[in-house]
Amino acid sequence: MSTSSPATAVPVYPDHLRDTIERYLEQLRFPARSAGVAGLEEAMRYSLLAGGKRIRPVLALATARAVGLEDRDVLPLAAAIELIHTYSLIHDDLPAMDDDDLRRGRPTCHVAYGEDVAILAGDALYAEAFHLLLRDGARAGGVPAERVLAAAAELADATGVDGMVGGQFLDVKGIGSSARAGEEGDAGERLRVLHGLKTGRLIGASVGGVVRLAGLDDERAEPYRRFAAELGVLFQIVDDILDVTGTEQDLGKPQGSDERHGKRTYVTEYGLQGAREMARRHHAAAASALDDADPSGAPDLRTLTAFFHTRTN
């Protein structure tokens, strides 16, 4: 007899959506006219197919089902998001960045192929993400081309200077997280800004891009965007908690990486218990926004909301 209660049971991850994403990613190829470039595709696929929860594309598929899109309509966007996420991980792991040797339980791309090839593999994945989305996004016929362009614009904005790369810049320069002498402003707010760009914008685009594909008006889209914003904060808080409490086996990467690099996190800023309390608040806010967005359904999104809060890797 199970002793788990509904309040303590770990949510079941929507593996049916992850399996759909994995099948789509596995069939992707990045052919080149020159045979000499084959080694670049090998490095790209090495990192892309390393596994993982595929949280961002799964979130995109779950959102698509909530707003009435078919999987085929959103898979190019979902895969493009994962290509971009993979590129960001390859570059994150480089010696000039976080200098990590392990990712998803295997040697990082620069360890396996060298720094030069890893940089180029990341660059190519970013370009191929938009090639895939713009080439295949409207091919199935379910989504008008102008909506695909709007989703591509949202994804580009989320990953550029005012998004993921901008957040990375703040991180590597210690702007936004370091409490340096003479700095004005609340350190917690600077931390939220940094992670809102570095992590939150791509999670937001996983929902917002689908909203664009579906052609939702601003009123109907607003609670979905609010939901995504809360998920982005929740994800980062839990990530910071796991960096302290998780194991290398669970995380698939070195434990304590943030501490090793002297980074300020939600745990260093608010303490472990304070971070856990913040996670509870943002989980509740995300669930409330989802109620506003879709009070009658969206079971996969509801499962993901709980998973973001309780995940262990």
Side-chain angles (χ1 to χ4, degrees):
M1 180 176 177
S2 174
T3 58
S4 297
S5 68
T8 60
V10 176
V12 177
Y13 192 73
D15 285 317
H16 60 293
L17 299 183
R18 177 168 55 177
D19 291 344
T20 298
I21 291 293
E22 289 293 351
R23 288 193 298 270
Y24 191 83
L25 293 174
E26 286 169 4
Q27 55 85 37
L28 291 179
R29 293 295 185 274
F30 311 105
R33 293 177 183 175
S34 170
V37 187
L40 178 59
E41 181 186 38
E42 180 185 331
M44 294 163 67
R45 286 173 57 80
Y46 172 84
S47 292
L48 179 64
L49 302 181
K53 291 291 186 184
R54 309 295 192 190
I55 285 173
R56 292 153 190 82
V58 164
L59 179 59
L61 278 186
T63 304
R65 295 187 176 195
V67 300
L69 289 177
E70 299 291 335
D71 287 354
R72 67 174 181 270
D73 296 329
V74 78
L75 274 169
L77 171 64
I81 290 168
E82 187 62 17
L83 263 63
I84 290 173
H85 178 56
T86 301
Y87 128 73
S88 75
L89 298 181
I90 292 174
H91 282 194
D92 271 357
D93 292 334
L94 289 167
M97 302 282 278
D98 288 347
D99 193 17
D100 282 328
D101 294 336
L102 191 69
R103 172 68 69 176
R104 291 172 172 169
R106 63 196 301 191
T108 49
C109 190
H110 71 272
V111 171
Y113 293 92
E115 289 181 46
D116 48 1
V117 174
I119 291 169
L120 295 173
D123 293 344
L125 282 166
Y126 188 77
E128 291 294 339
F130 286 99
H131 184 206
L132 170 66
L133 175 56
L134 294 171
R135 183 192 65 203
D136 294 350
R139 183 173 288 181
V143 178
E146 61 269 21
R147 294 185 187 175
V148 176
L149 288 174
E154 175 144 346
L155 184 56
D157 185 55
T159 55
V161 173
D162 196 37
M164 183 179 69
V165 174
Q168 288 282 30
F169 177 81
L170 295 178
D171 195 21
V172 299
K173 292 301 183 182
I175 303 169
S177 62
S178 299
R180 295 179 297 184
E183 270 193 342
E184 296 182 359
D186 175 68
E189 179 58 29
R190 294 196 301 272
L191 192 65
R192 286 189 288 274
V193 169
L194 185 157
H195 289 302
L197 296 175
K198 182 181 175 182
T199 303
R201 289 297 310 277
L202 189 56
I203 289 175
S206 302
V207 174
V210 177
V211 165
R212 296 287 191 189
L213 292 181
L216 269 59
D217 61 33
D218 290 345
E219 182 177 358
R220 190 177 173 203
E222 187 279 331
Y224 280 107
R225 292 188 179 280
R226 181 159 35 93
F227 162 71
E230 294 293 346
L231 273 190
V233 179
L234 174 62
F235 180 89
Q236 187 60 54
I237 295 170
V238 173
D239 213 49
D240 288 351
I241 292 170
L242 291 177
D243 191 65
V244 174
T245 64
T247 65
E248 187 170 295
Q249 181 177 1
D250 286 337
L251 299 175
K253 60 182 181 179
Q255 187 267 351
S257 179
D258 292 333
E259 181 180 4
R260 176 162 54 91
H261 291 288
K263 293 183 178 181
R264 297 188 70 83
T265 69
Y266 284 100
V267 174
T268 64
E269 196 63 38
Y270 300 102
L272 188 58
Q273 190 56 40
R276 285 172 170 158
E277 179 55 37
M278 288 183 72
R280 283 191 288 271
R281 292 200 303 270
H282 285 283
H283 171 255
S288 176
L290 185 55
D291 286 340
D292 293 339
D294 191 338
S296 61
D300 289 323
L301 285 179
R302 295 181 192 283
T303 297
L304 278 171
T305 305
F307 172 80
F308 269 50
H309 188 207
T310 59
R311 67 189 180 93
T312 58
N313 56 26

